[in-house]
Amino acid sequence: MSDAPHAVVTGGAGFVGSHLVDSLLDDGFRVTSLDNFGSGRPSNLEHIDTSRFDSLEHDVREPFPELDGVDYVYHFASRASPTDFESHPVEIALTNSEGAHNALEFARENDARTVLASTSEVYGDPEVHPQHEEYNGNVNVRGPRAPYDESKRFSEALAVAFQQQYDVDIRTVRIFNTYGPRMRPDDGRVIPNFLSQALRDDDLTIYGDGTQTRSFCYVSDLVAGIRAFADADPAVAAGEVINLGNTHEIEIRELAEIVIEVLDADSDTVRRELPEDDPELRRPDIGRAQELLGWEPTVGLEEGLERTAEQFAEELGTE
Ligand SMILES: NC(=O)c1ccc[n+]([C@@H]2O[C@H](COP(=O)([O-])OP(=O)(O)OC[C@H]3O[C@@H](n4cnc5c(N)ncnc54)[C@H](O)[C@@H]3O)[C@@H](O)[C@H]2O)c1
């Protein structure tokens, strides 16, 4: 067994998880991915060619397997697409409650530094803009997004409890909309939707009037922030929570125009009814991450869309 530090990534076969795995392997870590391949794909990991990597099929709702010498736990397992909130609500709620509990117990047993993936969804439909970490959010506890939003909120509360009671070093990242290659074209989130439609010259579906805003972070920027936070001195980072995301805020109808332009697509836009509890505004306040880590995103939206579209075109056979 190598002397390299050992990181366990739950959700390692997913979009963000697989990029995190790549980044850790590039830096010499030994990495074990635990994933049930629900929304993740083995193909996201098939390029990896090192004995420092192991991929185990495991559902985090079950107690974790015994693994040797674990130094870091990155808990990223959870479906994250709004279409999955409708089709898999119980699975999602339990993944972020029972699953988070199992992950934190595993971290405690291994005395491993832990990064918990939370989400901007903990702010719900925010009344404070931009959203900073001290804002407690506005989540509809009985709405269609509640199984995800409330279970993520619970996982954060559990992390605080573990930190307090067992002194486990847990760092929480609230991730704002992130996109990039390895998202599934049929994932249901807005950038995969728009790119898949534009690559086929279909019309882009806008929910509501398209004036709702989002801020989109390219995945390499997100992963750089996660890694910097994980590596930060415990004196400043243990038990902390930070927002990670891009502060460039745009309306969804503007995003549609940019996608059509970047892909030079022969598409128009069509309107559909706005789903219940769709947040009106989303932009992170990243002041804390900037101060703690000196981190900020560097990849512009057009560039990120082009890189993502390349992979989608290959996968959809529209090249
Ligand atoms: N991408 C974003 O914009 C975004 C925003 C906020 C938060 N997040 C968080 O980041 C993490 C990764 O999201 P993503 O965008 O990569 O989504 P994804 O669906 O691509 O990845 C999630 C991974 O977790 C796995 N998984 C789900 N439930 C599991 C379970 N019970 N046991 C084991 N594995 C399970 C899936 O198979 C998949 O590989 C999630 O925790 C998500 O909530 C992502």
PDB file of all heavy atoms in Angstrom, residues 11 13-17 34-40 58-61 76-80 91 95 117-120 148 152 175-178 189, ligand 1:
ATOM      1  N   GLY A  11     -19.865   9.778  -3.961  1.00  0.00           N
ATOM      2  CA  GLY A  11     -20.372  10.425  -5.176  1.00  0.00           C
ATOM      3  C   GLY A  11     -19.261  10.654  -6.183  1.00  0.00           C
ATOM      4  O   GLY A  11     -19.362  11.527  -7.052  1.00  0.00           O
ATOM      5  N   ALA A  13     -18.375   9.080  -8.757  1.00  0.00           N
ATOM      6  CA  ALA A  13     -18.671   8.823 -10.175  1.00  0.00           C
ATOM      7  C   ALA A  13     -19.577   9.900 -10.760  1.00  0.00           C
ATOM      8  O   ALA A  13     -19.953   9.841 -11.928  1.00  0.00           O
ATOM      9  CB  ALA A  13     -19.325   7.451 -10.331  1.00  0.00           C
ATOM     10  N   GLY A  14     -19.917  10.883  -9.938  1.00  0.00           N
ATOM     11  CA  GLY A  14     -20.799  11.951 -10.414  1.00  0.00           C
ATOM     12  C   GLY A  14     -20.027  13.053 -11.112  1.00  0.00           C
ATOM     13  O   GLY A  14     -18.810  12.969 -11.302  1.00  0.00           O
ATOM     14  N   PHE A  15     -20.744  14.090 -11.454  1.00  0.00           N
ATOM     15  CA  PHE A  15     -20.166  15.222 -12.173  1.00  0.00           C
ATOM     16  C   PHE A  15     -19.061  15.891 -11.328  1.00  0.00           C
ATOM     17  O   PHE A  15     -17.867  15.818 -11.671  1.00  0.00           O
ATOM     18  CB  PHE A  15     -21.305  16.183 -12.525  1.00  0.00           C
ATOM     19  CG  PHE A  15     -20.883  17.581 -12.811  1.00  0.00           C
ATOM     20  CD1 PHE A  15     -19.886  17.845 -13.742  1.00  0.00           C
ATOM     21  CD2 PHE A  15     -21.473  18.650 -12.136  1.00  0.00           C
ATOM     22  CE1 PHE A  15     -19.491  19.155 -13.999  1.00  0.00           C
ATOM     23  CE2 PHE A  15     -21.091  19.949 -12.392  1.00  0.00           C
ATOM     24  CZ  PHE A  15     -20.091  20.199 -13.315  1.00  0.00           C
ATOM     25  N   VAL A  16     -19.412  16.495 -10.220  1.00  0.00           N
ATOM     26  CA  VAL A  16     -18.402  17.189  -9.401  1.00  0.00           C
ATOM     27  C   VAL A  16     -17.417  16.187  -8.812  1.00  0.00           C
ATOM     28  O   VAL A  16     -16.189  16.394  -8.836  1.00  0.00           O
ATOM     29  CB  VAL A  16     -19.069  18.000  -8.255  1.00  0.00           C
ATOM     30  CG1 VAL A  16     -18.008  18.611  -7.347  1.00  0.00           C
ATOM     31  CG2 VAL A  16     -19.973  19.095  -8.809  1.00  0.00           C
ATOM     32  N   GLY A  17     -17.956  15.069  -8.278  1.00  0.00           N
ATOM     33  CA  GLY A  17     -17.106  14.075  -7.618  1.00  0.00           C
ATOM     34  C   GLY A  17     -15.977  13.574  -8.500  1.00  0.00           C
ATOM     35  O   GLY A  17     -14.834  13.436  -8.051  1.00  0.00           O
ATOM     36  N   LEU A  34     -16.796   6.019  -3.435  1.00  0.00           N
ATOM     37  CA  LEU A  34     -17.958   5.219  -3.044  1.00  0.00           C
ATOM     38  C   LEU A  34     -19.169   5.817  -3.744  1.00  0.00           C
ATOM     39  O   LEU A  34     -19.479   6.992  -3.540  1.00  0.00           O
ATOM     40  CB  LEU A  34     -18.188   5.278  -1.524  1.00  0.00           C
ATOM     41  CG  LEU A  34     -17.062   4.799  -0.620  1.00  0.00           C
ATOM     42  CD1 LEU A  34     -17.488   4.947   0.854  1.00  0.00           C
ATOM     43  CD2 LEU A  34     -16.699   3.352  -0.905  1.00  0.00           C
ATOM     44  N   ASP A  35     -19.823   5.021  -4.565  1.00  0.00           N
ATOM     45  CA  ASP A  35     -20.925   5.565  -5.357  1.00  0.00           C
ATOM     46  C   ASP A  35     -21.906   4.446  -5.682  1.00  0.00           C
ATOM     47  O   ASP A  35     -21.494   3.310  -5.937  1.00  0.00           O
ATOM     48  CB  ASP A  35     -20.368   6.165  -6.669  1.00  0.00           C
ATOM     49  CG  ASP A  35     -21.317   7.180  -7.285  1.00  0.00           C
ATOM     50  OD1 ASP A  35     -22.442   6.781  -7.635  1.00  0.00           O
ATOM     51  OD2 ASP A  35     -20.937   8.353  -7.419  1.00  0.00           O
ATOM     52  N   ASN A  36     -23.198   4.761  -5.687  1.00  0.00           N
ATOM     53  CA  ASN A  36     -24.183   3.728  -6.051  1.00  0.00           C
ATOM     54  C   ASN A  36     -24.557   3.797  -7.540  1.00  0.00           C
ATOM     55  O   ASN A  36     -25.416   3.058  -7.990  1.00  0.00           O
ATOM     56  CB  ASN A  36     -25.441   3.833  -5.176  1.00  0.00           C
ATOM     57  CG  ASN A  36     -26.259   5.078  -5.473  1.00  0.00           C
ATOM     58  OD1 ASN A  36     -25.848   5.927  -6.272  1.00  0.00           O
ATOM     59  ND2 ASN A  36     -27.412   5.195  -4.839  1.00  0.00           N
ATOM     60  N   PHE A  37     -23.913   4.694  -8.265  1.00  0.00           N
ATOM     61  CA  PHE A  37     -24.138   4.879  -9.709  1.00  0.00           C
ATOM     62  C   PHE A  37     -25.610   5.186 -10.028  1.00  0.00           C
ATOM     63  O   PHE A  37     -26.111   4.813 -11.085  1.00  0.00           O
ATOM     64  CB  PHE A  37     -23.645   3.662 -10.512  1.00  0.00           C
ATOM     65  CG  PHE A  37     -22.176   3.397 -10.312  1.00  0.00           C
ATOM     66  CD1 PHE A  37     -21.744   2.292  -9.595  1.00  0.00           C
ATOM     67  CD2 PHE A  37     -21.221   4.275 -10.819  1.00  0.00           C
ATOM     68  CE1 PHE A  37     -20.383   2.070  -9.374  1.00  0.00           C
ATOM     69  CE2 PHE A  37     -19.867   4.069 -10.593  1.00  0.00           C
ATOM     70  CZ  PHE A  37     -19.442   2.958  -9.881  1.00  0.00           C
ATOM     71  N   GLY A  38     -26.263   5.864  -9.096  1.00  0.00           N
ATOM     72  CA  GLY A  38     -27.654   6.270  -9.331  1.00  0.00           C
ATOM     73  C   GLY A  38     -27.730   7.349 -10.405  1.00  0.00           C
ATOM     74  O   GLY A  38     -28.342   7.158 -11.453  1.00  0.00           O
ATOM     75  N   SER A  39     -27.084   8.480 -10.141  1.00  0.00           N
ATOM     76  CA  SER A  39     -27.005   9.529 -11.176  1.00  0.00           C
ATOM     77  C   SER A  39     -25.588   9.651 -11.723  1.00  0.00           C
ATOM     78  O   SER A  39     -25.356  10.385 -12.682  1.00  0.00           O
ATOM     79  CB  SER A  39     -27.464  10.880 -10.601  1.00  0.00           C
ATOM     80  OG  SER A  39     -26.741  11.202  -9.433  1.00  0.00           O
ATOM     81  N   GLY A  40     -24.639   8.965 -11.117  1.00  0.00           N
ATOM     82  CA  GLY A  40     -23.250   8.987 -11.610  1.00  0.00           C
ATOM     83  C   GLY A  40     -23.011   7.888 -12.621  1.00  0.00           C
ATOM     84  O   GLY A  40     -23.843   6.981 -12.762  1.00  0.00           O
ATOM     85  N   HIS A  58     -21.194   1.442  -3.737  1.00  0.00           N
ATOM     86  CA  HIS A  58     -21.704   1.469  -2.361  1.00  0.00           C
ATOM     87  C   HIS A  58     -22.766   2.552  -2.238  1.00  0.00           C
ATOM     88  O   HIS A  58     -22.590   3.654  -2.750  1.00  0.00           O
ATOM     89  CB  HIS A  58     -20.555   1.751  -1.372  1.00  0.00           C
ATOM     90  CG  HIS A  58     -21.028   1.845   0.043  1.00  0.00           C
ATOM     91  ND1 HIS A  58     -21.353   0.734   0.791  1.00  0.00           N
ATOM     92  CD2 HIS A  58     -21.277   2.909   0.842  1.00  0.00           C
ATOM     93  CE1 HIS A  58     -21.778   1.114   1.983  1.00  0.00           C
ATOM     94  NE2 HIS A  58     -21.736   2.430   2.046  1.00  0.00           N
ATOM     95  N   ASP A  59     -23.828   2.221  -1.530  1.00  0.00           N
ATOM     96  CA  ASP A  59     -24.869   3.221  -1.268  1.00  0.00           C
ATOM     97  C   ASP A  59     -24.616   3.801   0.120  1.00  0.00           C
ATOM     98  O   ASP A  59     -24.565   3.061   1.105  1.00  0.00           O
ATOM     99  CB  ASP A  59     -26.253   2.559  -1.338  1.00  0.00           C
ATOM    100  CG  ASP A  59     -27.354   3.607  -1.389  1.00  0.00           C
ATOM    101  OD1 ASP A  59     -27.391   4.471  -0.484  1.00  0.00           O
ATOM    102  OD2 ASP A  59     -28.157   3.581  -2.337  1.00  0.00           O
ATOM    103  N   VAL A  60     -24.480   5.129   0.197  1.00  0.00           N
ATOM    104  CA  VAL A  60     -24.105   5.743   1.479  1.00  0.00           C
ATOM    105  C   VAL A  60     -25.203   5.624   2.531  1.00  0.00           C
ATOM    106  O   VAL A  60     -24.957   5.920   3.701  1.00  0.00           O
ATOM    107  CB  VAL A  60     -23.694   7.231   1.318  1.00  0.00           C
ATOM    108  CG1 VAL A  60     -22.443   7.356   0.467  1.00  0.00           C
ATOM    109  CG2 VAL A  60     -24.833   8.085   0.764  1.00  0.00           C
ATOM    110  N   ARG A  61     -26.408   5.206   2.100  1.00  0.00           N
ATOM    111  CA  ARG A  61     -27.440   4.984   3.111  1.00  0.00           C
ATOM    112  C   ARG A  61     -27.123   3.752   3.949  1.00  0.00           C
ATOM    113  O   ARG A  61     -27.721   3.528   4.995  1.00  0.00           O
ATOM    114  CB  ARG A  61     -28.814   4.857   2.430  1.00  0.00           C
ATOM    115  CG  ARG A  61     -29.316   6.188   1.883  1.00  0.00           C
ATOM    116  CD  ARG A  61     -30.528   6.008   1.003  1.00  0.00           C
ATOM    117  NE  ARG A  61     -30.196   5.330  -0.240  1.00  0.00           N
ATOM    118  CZ  ARG A  61     -31.075   4.930  -1.142  1.00  0.00           C
ATOM    119  NH1 ARG A  61     -32.351   5.138  -0.940  1.00  0.00           N
ATOM    120  NH2 ARG A  61     -30.677   4.330  -2.249  1.00  0.00           N
ATOM    121  N   PHE A  76     -19.835  13.862  -1.098  1.00  0.00           N
ATOM    122  CA  PHE A  76     -20.494  14.520  -2.234  1.00  0.00           C
ATOM    123  C   PHE A  76     -21.641  13.698  -2.815  1.00  0.00           C
ATOM    124  O   PHE A  76     -22.247  14.103  -3.812  1.00  0.00           O
ATOM    125  CB  PHE A  76     -19.448  14.848  -3.324  1.00  0.00           C
ATOM    126  CG  PHE A  76     -18.706  16.118  -3.009  1.00  0.00           C
ATOM    127  CD1 PHE A  76     -17.858  16.180  -1.912  1.00  0.00           C
ATOM    128  CD2 PHE A  76     -18.883  17.256  -3.770  1.00  0.00           C
ATOM    129  CE1 PHE A  76     -17.195  17.360  -1.574  1.00  0.00           C
ATOM    130  CE2 PHE A  76     -18.234  18.443  -3.452  1.00  0.00           C
ATOM    131  CZ  PHE A  76     -17.393  18.498  -2.352  1.00  0.00           C
ATOM    132  N   ALA A  77     -21.936  12.524  -2.241  1.00  0.00           N
ATOM    133  CA  ALA A  77     -23.009  11.698  -2.804  1.00  0.00           C
ATOM    134  C   ALA A  77     -24.353  12.376  -2.591  1.00  0.00           C
ATOM    135  O   ALA A  77     -24.703  12.725  -1.469  1.00  0.00           O
ATOM    136  CB  ALA A  77     -23.009  10.326  -2.133  1.00  0.00           C
ATOM    137  N   SER A  78     -25.062  12.599  -3.622  1.00  0.00           N
ATOM    138  CA  SER A  78     -26.470  13.038  -3.597  1.00  0.00           C
ATOM    139  C   SER A  78     -26.883  13.435  -5.004  1.00  0.00           C
ATOM    140  O   SER A  78     -26.153  14.166  -5.680  1.00  0.00           O
ATOM    141  CB  SER A  78     -26.697  14.253  -2.691  1.00  0.00           C
ATOM    142  OG  SER A  78     -28.024  14.722  -2.876  1.00  0.00           O
ATOM    143  N   ARG A  79     -28.013  12.928  -5.417  1.00  0.00           N
ATOM    144  CA  ARG A  79     -28.593  13.470  -6.649  1.00  0.00           C
ATOM    145  C   ARG A  79     -28.811  14.963  -6.426  1.00  0.00           C
ATOM    146  O   ARG A  79     -29.125  15.385  -5.306  1.00  0.00           O
ATOM    147  CB  ARG A  79     -29.934  12.797  -6.940  1.00  0.00           C
ATOM    148  CG  ARG A  79     -29.799  11.335  -7.336  1.00  0.00           C
ATOM    149  CD  ARG A  79     -31.179  10.717  -7.438  1.00  0.00           C
ATOM    150  NE  ARG A  79     -31.107   9.309  -7.789  1.00  0.00           N
ATOM    151  CZ  ARG A  79     -31.125   8.849  -9.042  1.00  0.00           C
ATOM    152  NH1 ARG A  79     -31.239   9.677 -10.072  1.00  0.00           N
ATOM    153  NH2 ARG A  79     -31.056   7.559  -9.287  1.00  0.00           N
ATOM    154  N   ALA A  80     -28.681  15.744  -7.525  1.00  0.00           N
ATOM    155  CA  ALA A  80     -28.719  17.201  -7.347  1.00  0.00           C
ATOM    156  C   ALA A  80     -29.576  17.905  -8.392  1.00  0.00           C
ATOM    157  O   ALA A  80     -29.615  19.122  -8.419  1.00  0.00           O
ATOM    158  CB  ALA A  80     -27.292  17.736  -7.386  1.00  0.00           C
ATOM    159  N   GLU A  91     -35.302   8.854  -1.665  1.00  0.00           N
ATOM    160  CA  GLU A  91     -33.875   8.495  -1.772  1.00  0.00           C
ATOM    161  C   GLU A  91     -32.998   9.708  -1.439  1.00  0.00           C
ATOM    162  O   GLU A  91     -32.012   9.606  -0.699  1.00  0.00           O
ATOM    163  CB  GLU A  91     -33.569   7.994  -3.191  1.00  0.00           C
ATOM    164  CG  GLU A  91     -32.107   7.640  -3.378  1.00  0.00           C
ATOM    165  CD  GLU A  91     -31.742   7.360  -4.831  1.00  0.00           C
ATOM    166  OE1 GLU A  91     -32.487   6.624  -5.501  1.00  0.00           O
ATOM    167  OE2 GLU A  91     -30.703   7.877  -5.273  1.00  0.00           O
ATOM    168  N   THR A  95     -30.466  10.000   1.600  1.00  0.00           N
ATOM    169  CA  THR A  95     -29.036  10.096   1.267  1.00  0.00           C
ATOM    170  C   THR A  95     -28.386  11.232   2.051  1.00  0.00           C
ATOM    171  O   THR A  95     -27.277  11.101   2.564  1.00  0.00           O
ATOM    172  CB  THR A  95     -28.866  10.314  -0.253  1.00  0.00           C
ATOM    173  OG1 THR A  95     -29.305   9.127  -0.918  1.00  0.00           O
ATOM    174  CG2 THR A  95     -27.417  10.593  -0.623  1.00  0.00           C
ATOM    175  N   ALA A 117     -20.510  18.417   1.188  1.00  0.00           N
ATOM    176  CA  ALA A 117     -21.093  19.198   0.087  1.00  0.00           C
ATOM    177  C   ALA A 117     -22.506  19.613   0.463  1.00  0.00           C
ATOM    178  O   ALA A 117     -23.419  18.796   0.529  1.00  0.00           O
ATOM    179  CB  ALA A 117     -21.120  18.376  -1.196  1.00  0.00           C
ATOM    180  N   SER A 118     -22.677  20.905   0.736  1.00  0.00           N
ATOM    181  CA  SER A 118     -24.013  21.452   0.892  1.00  0.00           C
ATOM    182  C   SER A 118     -24.339  22.259  -0.369  1.00  0.00           C
ATOM    183  O   SER A 118     -23.672  22.099  -1.404  1.00  0.00           O
ATOM    184  CB  SER A 118     -24.101  22.291   2.170  1.00  0.00           C
ATOM    185  OG  SER A 118     -25.426  22.748   2.362  1.00  0.00           O
ATOM    186  N   THR A 119     -25.311  23.121  -0.284  1.00  0.00           N
ATOM    187  CA  THR A 119     -25.830  23.719  -1.512  1.00  0.00           C
ATOM    188  C   THR A 119     -26.441  25.094  -1.262  1.00  0.00           C
ATOM    189  O   THR A 119     -26.914  25.378  -0.146  1.00  0.00           O
ATOM    190  CB  THR A 119     -26.914  22.788  -2.110  1.00  0.00           C
ATOM    191  OG1 THR A 119     -27.651  23.497  -3.105  1.00  0.00           O
ATOM    192  CG2 THR A 119     -27.908  22.319  -1.061  1.00  0.00           C
ATOM    193  N   SER A 120     -26.469  25.897  -2.297  1.00  0.00           N
ATOM    194  CA  SER A 120     -27.173  27.186  -2.223  1.00  0.00           C
ATOM    195  C   SER A 120     -28.660  26.984  -1.968  1.00  0.00           C
ATOM    196  O   SER A 120     -29.355  27.918  -1.579  1.00  0.00           O
ATOM    197  CB  SER A 120     -26.981  27.952  -3.534  1.00  0.00           C
ATOM    198  OG  SER A 120     -27.403  27.168  -4.629  1.00  0.00           O
ATOM    199  N   TYR A 148     -34.695  17.642  -0.878  1.00  0.00           N
ATOM    200  CA  TYR A 148     -33.283  17.997  -1.089  1.00  0.00           C
ATOM    201  C   TYR A 148     -32.868  19.103  -0.124  1.00  0.00           C
ATOM    202  O   TYR A 148     -31.912  18.947   0.643  1.00  0.00           O
ATOM    203  CB  TYR A 148     -33.106  18.442  -2.538  1.00  0.00           C
ATOM    204  CG  TYR A 148     -31.685  18.794  -2.948  1.00  0.00           C
ATOM    205  CD1 TYR A 148     -30.715  17.807  -3.104  1.00  0.00           C
ATOM    206  CD2 TYR A 148     -31.325  20.112  -3.212  1.00  0.00           C
ATOM    207  CE1 TYR A 148     -29.423  18.124  -3.506  1.00  0.00           C
ATOM    208  CE2 TYR A 148     -30.040  20.439  -3.620  1.00  0.00           C
ATOM    209  CZ  TYR A 148     -29.085  19.437  -3.769  1.00  0.00           C
ATOM    210  OH  TYR A 148     -27.811  19.761  -4.173  1.00  0.00           O
ATOM    211  N   LYS A 152     -30.354  18.607   3.086  1.00  0.00           N
ATOM    212  CA  LYS A 152     -29.037  19.256   3.066  1.00  0.00           C
ATOM    213  C   LYS A 152     -28.879  20.132   4.303  1.00  0.00           C
ATOM    214  O   LYS A 152     -27.803  20.195   4.901  1.00  0.00           O
ATOM    215  CB  LYS A 152     -28.871  20.103   1.801  1.00  0.00           C
ATOM    216  CG  LYS A 152     -28.584  19.288   0.539  1.00  0.00           C
ATOM    217  CD  LYS A 152     -27.176  18.729   0.534  1.00  0.00           C
ATOM    218  CE  LYS A 152     -26.818  18.098  -0.800  1.00  0.00           C
ATOM    219  NZ  LYS A 152     -25.486  17.490  -0.809  1.00  0.00           N
ATOM    220  N   ILE A 175     -22.439  24.958  -2.323  1.00  0.00           N
ATOM    221  CA  ILE A 175     -22.109  25.067  -3.747  1.00  0.00           C
ATOM    222  C   ILE A 175     -23.269  25.733  -4.485  1.00  0.00           C
ATOM    223  O   ILE A 175     -24.424  25.315  -4.342  1.00  0.00           O
ATOM    224  CB  ILE A 175     -21.848  23.655  -4.326  1.00  0.00           C
ATOM    225  CG1 ILE A 175     -20.716  22.969  -3.555  1.00  0.00           C
ATOM    226  CG2 ILE A 175     -21.548  23.735  -5.812  1.00  0.00           C
ATOM    227  CD1 ILE A 175     -20.556  21.494  -3.892  1.00  0.00           C
ATOM    228  N   PHE A 176     -22.948  26.765  -5.251  1.00  0.00           N
ATOM    229  CA  PHE A 176     -23.926  27.404  -6.131  1.00  0.00           C
ATOM    230  C   PHE A 176     -23.796  26.768  -7.522  1.00  0.00           C
ATOM    231  O   PHE A 176     -22.759  26.165  -7.841  1.00  0.00           O
ATOM    232  CB  PHE A 176     -23.681  28.907  -6.187  1.00  0.00           C
ATOM    233  CG  PHE A 176     -24.162  29.650  -4.964  1.00  0.00           C
ATOM    234  CD1 PHE A 176     -23.573  29.425  -3.729  1.00  0.00           C
ATOM    235  CD2 PHE A 176     -25.211  30.547  -5.042  1.00  0.00           C
ATOM    236  CE1 PHE A 176     -24.021  30.092  -2.582  1.00  0.00           C
ATOM    237  CE2 PHE A 176     -25.663  31.221  -3.915  1.00  0.00           C
ATOM    238  CZ  PHE A 176     -25.073  30.992  -2.682  1.00  0.00           C
ATOM    239  N   ASN A 177     -24.807  26.969  -8.363  1.00  0.00           N
ATOM    240  CA  ASN A 177     -24.878  26.299  -9.678  1.00  0.00           C
ATOM    241  C   ASN A 177     -23.512  26.142 -10.338  1.00  0.00           C
ATOM    242  O   ASN A 177     -22.852  27.131 -10.658  1.00  0.00           O
ATOM    243  CB  ASN A 177     -25.749  27.093 -10.645  1.00  0.00           C
ATOM    244  CG  ASN A 177     -27.201  27.029 -10.250  1.00  0.00           C
ATOM    245  OD1 ASN A 177     -27.558  27.461  -9.168  1.00  0.00           O
ATOM    246  ND2 ASN A 177     -28.038  26.478 -11.107  1.00  0.00           N
ATOM    247  N   THR A 178     -23.153  24.906 -10.553  1.00  0.00           N
ATOM    248  CA  THR A 178     -21.872  24.590 -11.188  1.00  0.00           C
ATOM    249  C   THR A 178     -22.137  23.712 -12.404  1.00  0.00           C
ATOM    250  O   THR A 178     -23.056  22.894 -12.390  1.00  0.00           O
ATOM    251  CB  THR A 178     -20.961  23.870 -10.176  1.00  0.00           C
ATOM    252  OG1 THR A 178     -20.730  24.755  -9.071  1.00  0.00           O
ATOM    253  CG2 THR A 178     -19.624  23.494 -10.796  1.00  0.00           C
ATOM    254  N   ARG A 189     -30.826  19.839 -15.382  1.00  0.00           N
ATOM    255  CA  ARG A 189     -30.456  21.171 -14.920  1.00  0.00           C
ATOM    256  C   ARG A 189     -30.345  22.100 -16.131  1.00  0.00           C
ATOM    257  O   ARG A 189     -30.233  21.656 -17.271  1.00  0.00           O
ATOM    258  CB  ARG A 189     -29.154  21.115 -14.113  1.00  0.00           C
ATOM    259  CG  ARG A 189     -29.387  20.462 -12.760  1.00  0.00           C
ATOM    260  CD  ARG A 189     -28.143  20.354 -11.905  1.00  0.00           C
ATOM    261  NE  ARG A 189     -27.459  19.095 -12.069  1.00  0.00           N
ATOM    262  CZ  ARG A 189     -26.469  18.666 -11.280  1.00  0.00           C
ATOM    263  NH1 ARG A 189     -26.049  19.415 -10.288  1.00  0.00           N
ATOM    264  NH2 ARG A 189     -25.893  17.493 -11.483  1.00  0.00           N
TER     265      ARG A 189
HETATM  266  N1  LIG B   1     -23.473  20.770  -9.513  1.00  0.00           N
HETATM  267  C1  LIG B   1     -24.055  21.704  -8.794  1.00  0.00           C
HETATM  268  O1  LIG B   1     -24.422  22.762  -9.327  1.00  0.00           O
HETATM  269  C2  LIG B   1     -24.261  21.530  -7.313  1.00  0.00           C
HETATM  270  C3  LIG B   1     -24.825  22.602  -6.612  1.00  0.00           C
HETATM  271  C4  LIG B   1     -25.028  22.466  -5.244  1.00  0.00           C
HETATM  272  C5  LIG B   1     -24.637  21.318  -4.588  1.00  0.00           C
HETATM  273  N2  LIG B   1     -24.094  20.289  -5.289  1.00  0.00           N
HETATM  274  C6  LIG B   1     -23.741  19.077  -4.530  1.00  0.00           C
HETATM  275  O2  LIG B   1     -22.566  18.486  -5.042  1.00  0.00           O
HETATM  276  C7  LIG B   1     -22.662  17.057  -4.956  1.00  0.00           C
HETATM  277  C8  LIG B   1     -22.429  16.446  -6.323  1.00  0.00           C
HETATM  278  O3  LIG B   1     -23.416  16.913  -7.237  1.00  0.00           O
HETATM  279  P1  LIG B   1     -23.280  16.698  -8.800  1.00  0.00           P
HETATM  280  O4  LIG B   1     -23.719  17.946  -9.443  1.00  0.00           O
HETATM  281  O5  LIG B   1     -21.952  16.150  -9.119  1.00  0.00           O
HETATM  282  O6  LIG B   1     -24.421  15.609  -9.053  1.00  0.00           O
HETATM  283  P2  LIG B   1     -24.294  14.127  -9.687  1.00  0.00           P
HETATM  284  O7  LIG B   1     -25.668  13.580  -9.702  1.00  0.00           O
HETATM  285  O8  LIG B   1     -23.549  14.176 -10.970  1.00  0.00           O
HETATM  286  O9  LIG B   1     -23.386  13.390  -8.630  1.00  0.00           O
HETATM  287  C9  LIG B   1     -23.891  12.808  -7.453  1.00  0.00           C
HETATM  288  C10 LIG B   1     -23.228  11.455  -7.280  1.00  0.00           C
HETATM  289  O10 LIG B   1     -23.678  10.876  -6.040  1.00  0.00           O
HETATM  290  C11 LIG B   1     -24.062   9.516  -6.275  1.00  0.00           C
HETATM  291  N3  LIG B   1     -25.090   9.157  -5.297  1.00  0.00           N
HETATM  292  C12 LIG B   1     -26.327   9.690  -5.155  1.00  0.00           C
HETATM  293  N4  LIG B   1     -26.964   9.104  -4.129  1.00  0.00           N
HETATM  294  C13 LIG B   1     -26.114   8.175  -3.617  1.00  0.00           C
HETATM  295  C14 LIG B   1     -26.198   7.233  -2.554  1.00  0.00           C
HETATM  296  N5  LIG B   1     -27.302   7.114  -1.808  1.00  0.00           N
HETATM  297  N6  LIG B   1     -25.124   6.443  -2.313  1.00  0.00           N
HETATM  298  C15 LIG B   1     -24.012   6.543  -3.072  1.00  0.00           C
HETATM  299  N7  LIG B   1     -23.871   7.396  -4.090  1.00  0.00           N
HETATM  300  C16 LIG B   1     -24.915   8.206  -4.359  1.00  0.00           C
HETATM  301  C17 LIG B   1     -24.569   9.504  -7.709  1.00  0.00           C
HETATM  302  O11 LIG B   1     -24.566   8.226  -8.308  1.00  0.00           O
HETATM  303  C18 LIG B   1     -23.601  10.472  -8.381  1.00  0.00           C
HETATM  304  O12 LIG B   1     -22.433   9.806  -8.836  1.00  0.00           O
HETATM  305  C19 LIG B   1     -24.046  16.759  -4.379  1.00  0.00           C
HETATM  306  O13 LIG B   1     -23.937  16.559  -2.988  1.00  0.00           O
HETATM  307  C20 LIG B   1     -24.827  18.015  -4.664  1.00  0.00           C
HETATM  308  O14 LIG B   1     -25.863  18.210  -3.747  1.00  0.00           O
HETATM  309  C21 LIG B   1     -23.905  20.371  -6.642  1.00  0.00           C
END
